Amino acid sequence: MRVIYRGCAVVAAVAVAAVGLVFVLPSRSDEVVAGQIAAPSAVPASSGPAPSPSPPASPSASPSPSPTESLAAATPRPTPTPGTSLAPGYTAMEALYADIRVPRLPARPKRLALRAPGKRVIEDTRSGLAVPRLGGQWKRHGAAPFTTKQVLPIKRGSTRRGVFVTCPLPIEEQAEPRDTALLAARWTLNHHPKGAKISWIASQPVKGGWMLVYQVKYGKRSARSAVAVVDGGMAKPGLAFASVPDTQRSRWADVTRAASGVRVLK
């Protein structure tokens, strides 16, 4: 019996020792795990939100004009002065302003008393105009290259004579009737001697257009001239042009009568 009791005592002692070993091992394991959790992260925390990526440029967006291009587009071209050299692409009015043969109109141009066309008229169906049929020594004449033409007889010793013609406008029409008449007056210099220059006498509106009266000087000679540009309801306005040289100055009054008597053909 004693042997049995001693054996039980030994078994009990071994069991107690095993229980103590079990409680010691888990406590050491808990310390390692706790230490790993408390360790600081190796990556530093960000001080703010991460920047978002920039959106890609739209392929359909048109590039903005450069400051130089914007300034050039906003700056109007200066008006040329007589004798100015013009760059390519100039307009008809810029060519007029640069022409030393055609001065600027006065700020307050003179106006003349307009005269009625009278009962006798000549009809120009191409330009849609009716013009006075001038009396006295004025005679109808072959019109080409115009559509109607009246002339004075050539005086002995002279090569020039008075003419009064009409035709559809032979130059580019402008937005303003006065500008169109100015270009027409410049065009009439083609029918005067080389070197001819204009000096203005009168500028005024007429029904359906504009009239200009001017003196044309060439060397020691001159001529009284006038143009009237009137809308006759055709594709282009009609032009009436009268000019009388100083060798026939007694007929200068006819120049104003001819231009002021232009009417729309009804």
Side-chain angles (χ1 to χ4, degrees), residues 225-243:
S225 301
V227 293
V229 177
V230 177
D231 185 357
M234 301 300 182
K236 301 186 71 173
L239 169 68
F241 165 48
S243 184

Side-chain angles (χ1 to χ4, degrees), residues 8-214:
C8 291
V10 171
V11 170
V14 172
V16 171
V19 170
L21 180 61
V22 169
F23 280 103
V24 171
L25 289 176
S27 64
R28 291 175 183 172
S29 176
D30 287 344
E31 288 178 1
V32 174
V33 173
Q36 291 175 344
I37 293 174
S41 171
V43 180
S46 171
S47 59
S52 59
S54 301
S58 173
S60 61
S62 58
S64 300
S66 66
T68 303
E69 292 173 341
S70 299
L71 181 61
T75 305
R77 295 200 297 187
T79 301
T81 54
T84 301
S85 297
L86 298 176
Y90 58 84
T91 65
M93 293 305 296
E94 287 173 335
L96 172 74
Y97 294 138
D99 195 332
I100 61 174
R101 304 173 302 167
V102 186
R104 296 291 184 89
L105 281 172
R108 294 182 178 180
K110 181 180 178 181
R111 292 194 177 194
L112 302 177
L114 300 181
R115 299 186 62 177
K119 296 181 179 180
R120 300 176 65 198
V121 297
I122 294 177
E123 297 181 350
D124 180 356
T125 56
R126 285 188 58 199
S127 59
L129 303 181
V131 299
R133 183 164 185 171
L134 302 176
Q137 294 182 312
W138 289 93
K139 305 295 182 183
R140 296 196 67 170
H141 195 274
F146 305 99
T147 49
T148 73
K149 186 175 185 179
Q150 302 176 67
V151 299
L152 286 172
I154 298 177
K155 293 190 70 172
R156 182 177 298 179
S158 176
T159 59
R160 307 194 64 80
R161 62 179 172 183
V163 296
F164 178 31
V165 299
T166 63
C167 63
L169 187 68
I171 47 95
E172 180 183 359
E173 182 182 6
Q174 304 299 301
E176 298 296 331
R178 191 192 70 165
D179 290 345
T180 306
L182 285 168
L183 290 177
R186 177 174 180 255
W187 173 83
T188 65
L189 291 178
N190 297 327
H191 299 275
H192 288 287
K194 185 178 180 180
K197 295 182 179 181
I198 285 175
S199 58
W200 300 113
I201 296 176
S203 171
Q204 60 200 90
V206 293
K207 187 176 181 179
W210 202 273
M211 182 186 79
L212 296 169
V213 181
Y214 50 98

